Amino acid sequence: MPIVLAIESSCDETAVAIVAGERGQRASILASEISSQIPLHQPYGGVVPELASRSHSLILRPLVETALQNAGLKMAQIDAFAATAGPGLASSLLIGNTAAKAMASAMRKPFLAINHLEGHLLSPFIDVTELPPHIALIISGGHTLLLRVDAAACYRKLGSTLDDAAGEAFDKVAKMIGLPYPGGPNVERNAIGGNPSAFSFPRGLLHEPHFDFSFSGLKTSVLYTLPKLENLDDSLADLCASFQAAVIDVLLQKSLRACKEQGIFYLALSGGVSMNQALRRTFQSACDAKGFTLSLSSPALCTDNAAMIAFAALLRHQSGQNDPLDSPIHPNLPLVS
Ligand code: KG4
Ligand code: ZN
């Protein structure tokens, strides 16, 4: 059975995973190690690239050793090595790429350069034997992407954000209201018990016929609301719940319309924002009501991880693909052009 070791280092998580599986069979995650840099960047309210790359290079080697140990494998038993090639921070991508290429070269095994977004897109399907045709919504800190997926590597873009990504909107609004980085989980926590209709925030581009998104108007609307509040603490839960509801509403309505227009009644969510419990519940009940199938990444696979990169690499390795050792990193690598 082919075994792939992958490194994810596109932003502020250093991750190593080992995934194995035969073509047409369910893949197994043999190890999935993540070393989060959140405490390192928290004092700055966002990711500092120089600190991120330095931390990746320090943590990567022990993390590879831990992954091999937890999988009960020796390096010589790995059949292919992979790394995220983009999109992401150049200085961070380089660390994981160089390490994976060095291992591939030393062990005389193939190397695979993986698109981070493809990793997210495939993450809800790690435990199925075949990728179903579906509408994919990738919602992360850097991207908001709606796609039609007909098969592996057969993707058509339906829409994307014209300004902020959904996760970026969560992070920026969190910063505005004094919640720590990363904003998404903190906004969600503070929204609990809040009234999602307390503030009527705008739903950007909701009634446009296309599938693009815009969250900058929503962000500005929250900014203009803040000085009007008598006491932010008293309104915090309502504010967070109303902001969250506006983001979820647009994502849901556009995704459901995409399913209907494309005639594919199967929706899959991935990326860090798909961790959000309110979003998961809202999508689940809407899909149940319409008789649509919904696939969600398991929580451990929503935010950045290497198992999704190893799985994407495994599928490509199973079909005989690999990449040259001099293949470049691409900080702006698109999933579909
Ligand atoms: O996929 P991811 O880990 O990294 C990127 O590829 O960007 O996504 C990170 C994003 C951040 O913006 C973070 O605030 C958001 O996902 N996020 C959430 C939640 N957990 C993480 N947003 C809303 N609710 C959450 N529970
Ligand atoms: Zn990501």
Side-chain angles (χ1 to χ4, degrees), residues 116 120 140-142 167 170-171 183-185 188 271-273 275-276 302-304:
H116 180 84
H120 276 306
S140 69
F170 269 96
D171 294 339
E188 173 169 25
V273 181
M275 276 286 267
N276 188 288
C302 288
T303 45
D304 288 348

Side-chain angles (χ1 to χ4, degrees), residues 113-114 132 203 207 240 262 306:
I114 302 301
R203 270 69 170 155
H207 301 294
C240 288
Q262 296 291 319

Side-chain angles (χ1 to χ4, degrees), residues 119-138:
H120 276 306
L121 179 142
L122 295 172
S123 63
F125 300 102
I126 287 194
D127 57 358
V128 303
T129 53
E130 211 177 320
L131 186 67
H134 66 276
I135 301 298
L137 177 66
I138 305 173

Side-chain angles (χ1 to χ4, degrees), residues 109-248:
K109 295 284 171 62
F111 167 74
L112 293 114
I114 302 301
N115 187 311
H116 180 84
L117 296 171
E118 185 170 33
H120 276 306
L121 179 142
L122 295 172
S123 63
F125 300 102
I126 287 194
D127 57 358
V128 303
T129 53
E130 211 177 320
L131 186 67
H134 66 276
I135 301 298
L137 177 66
I138 305 173
I139 32 179
S140 69
H143 295 83
T144 302
L145 199 52
L146 194 60
L147 302 137
R148 176 191 168 112
V149 175
D150 288 296
C154 198
Y155 314 133
R156 185 149 64 83
K157 180 170 140 184
L158 302 174
S160 61
T161 184
L162 302 179
D163 38 60
D164 293 336
E168 195 179 356
F170 269 96
D171 294 339
K172 287 180 175 169
V173 163
K175 207 168 184 176
M176 264 181 224
I177 57 182
L179 298 176
Y181 163 86
N186 287 307
V187 169
E188 173 169 25
R189 215 165 293 131
N190 281 282
I192 295 169
N195 174 7
S197 314
F199 298 90
S200 58
F201 289 132
R203 270 69 170 155
L205 308 179
L206 183 59
H207 301 294
E208 297 295 322
H210 54 70
F211 293 109
D212 288 332
F213 301 89
S214 168
F215 295 106
S216 66
L218 169 60
K219 187 185 63 187
T220 309
S221 182
V222 174
L223 184 66
Y224 288 167
T225 302
L226 292 179
K228 296 182 197 151
L229 301 175
E230 273 181 25
N231 182 332
L232 176 58
D233 285 346
D234 292 345
S235 310
L236 192 59
D238 286 350
L239 193 79
C240 288
S242 301
F243 162 76
Q244 187 172 268
V247 175
I248 295 172

